[in-house]
Amino acid sequence: MVKASLASRLWMNAVLIILAILFLAPLIYILLNSFKPAGEIFQVPQSILPKEWTFENYLAATSKGFLDYFRNSVVITVGGVLLTVLLSSLAGYGFAKLPFKGVNLVLLTIVATLTIPLVIFLVPMFLMENSVGLLNTNLGLLLPNVAVSLPFAILIMRASFLAIPKEVEESATMDGAGVIRRWWTVMLPMARNGVVLVVIMSSYAIWGEYTMAKTLAMDPPAMPLSVGLTLLKGEVWQYGILAAVIVLAMLPPIIIFIIFQKHIVAGVAQGAVKG
């Protein structure tokens, strides 16, 4: 029995290692190519490691408008994540701890919005933003991204608040804390795993969003990185520069994951218990 369990565990570890290699191999290939001169990338046969390590691809990438696209993405992502966390935590707290008539119908409506394809909203969003002058602005991309991220974020935060014992809130109420104070000083810190999960999911979604950015940001100075990347190629694709840009574009999501990784499983598990 013990041997069978050990063998099963070894097989599982082997499968996970193989899957990790399959997922990491393209990323490692791109990373190594970003340090190769253009001539070495197309050399046959190719070497795995660069024969001549160079940073010229990174220097070329940062001189072709990359920094402007990167800055736009950072502004849109940071602003969008902060607004998503604020609104979803307020709404989630209301749905979880402040029940009202018709709450189930409202929740059902929120869930229903998750099934509607994004493409349906593109033309109305374009017309509305054009009428109020938000086209080709960071705010014009930030608000739609928040609207798209908010429904699922509300469900996550509601589940996080439901997992908190009601006695905690009752104790704060007896101490004279109002609704906003209970939410900010008591409930929100205890729902931090849900907050972290919302931060990670919304930041990933907003950072890599392409469809709305392509529709609502047509001028190059207003484009985020996901759209501006297509303008960096010039007349022909320069694969060394492209590899450097991809590596730089992957850094923020990787950093966010490393910082918050220990909270991810806890947040998912907490959301699975109550809902």
Side-chain angles (χ1 to χ4, degrees), residues 1-172:
M1 189 71 178
V2 176
K3 290 184 178 180
S5 177
L6 181 60
S8 175
R9 189 174 301 176
L10 290 175
W11 274 108
M12 182 63 68
N13 290 339
V15 170
L16 292 176
I17 291 173
I18 293 173
L19 289 176
I21 292 173
L22 290 176
F23 279 105
L24 291 175
L27 301 180
I28 295 174
Y29 177 76
I30 292 173
L31 176 63
L32 294 176
N33 275 349
S34 69
F35 292 104
K36 293 180 180 179
E40 190 176 334
I41 294 177
F42 297 101
Q43 196 174 51
V44 179
Q46 276 197 356
S47 60
I48 297 178
L49 295 175
K51 297 178 181 177
E52 179 186 347
W53 293 79
T54 178
F55 288 92
E56 63 181 14
N57 293 321
Y58 289 92
L59 295 175
T62 54
S63 65
K64 292 194 172 189
F66 170 84
L67 295 179
D68 293 332
Y69 304 141
F70 190 88
R71 183 181 62 250
N72 290 336
S73 288
V74 169
V75 171
I76 295 167
T77 302
V78 172
V81 169
L82 291 176
L83 191 55
T84 300
V85 170
L86 174 64
L87 296 179
S88 65
S89 61
L90 284 169
Y93 175 66
F95 285 126
K97 300 298 183 180
L98 304 172
F100 54 90
K101 188 176 181 180
V103 61
N104 292 330
L105 179 60
V106 176
L107 284 173
L108 183 61
T109 304
I110 292 175
V111 173
T113 61
L114 297 173
T115 66
I116 303 176
L118 176 62
V119 66
I120 293 177
F121 299 107
L122 292 180
V123 172
M125 280 193 295
F126 180 89
L127 295 176
M128 284 190 295
E129 294 208 354
N130 186 47
S131 64
V132 297
L134 287 179
L135 283 179
N136 298 309
T137 64
N138 287 336
L139 184 61
L141 288 176
L142 186 154
L143 295 177
N145 274 292
V146 171
V148 171
S149 303
L150 203 53
F152 194 58
I154 290 175
L155 298 179
I156 293 174
M157 292 307 303
R158 173 180 175 269
S160 297
F161 286 121
L162 283 174
I164 301 174
K166 64 179 181 180
E167 291 78 12
V168 174
E169 187 179 23
E170 290 174 353
S171 176

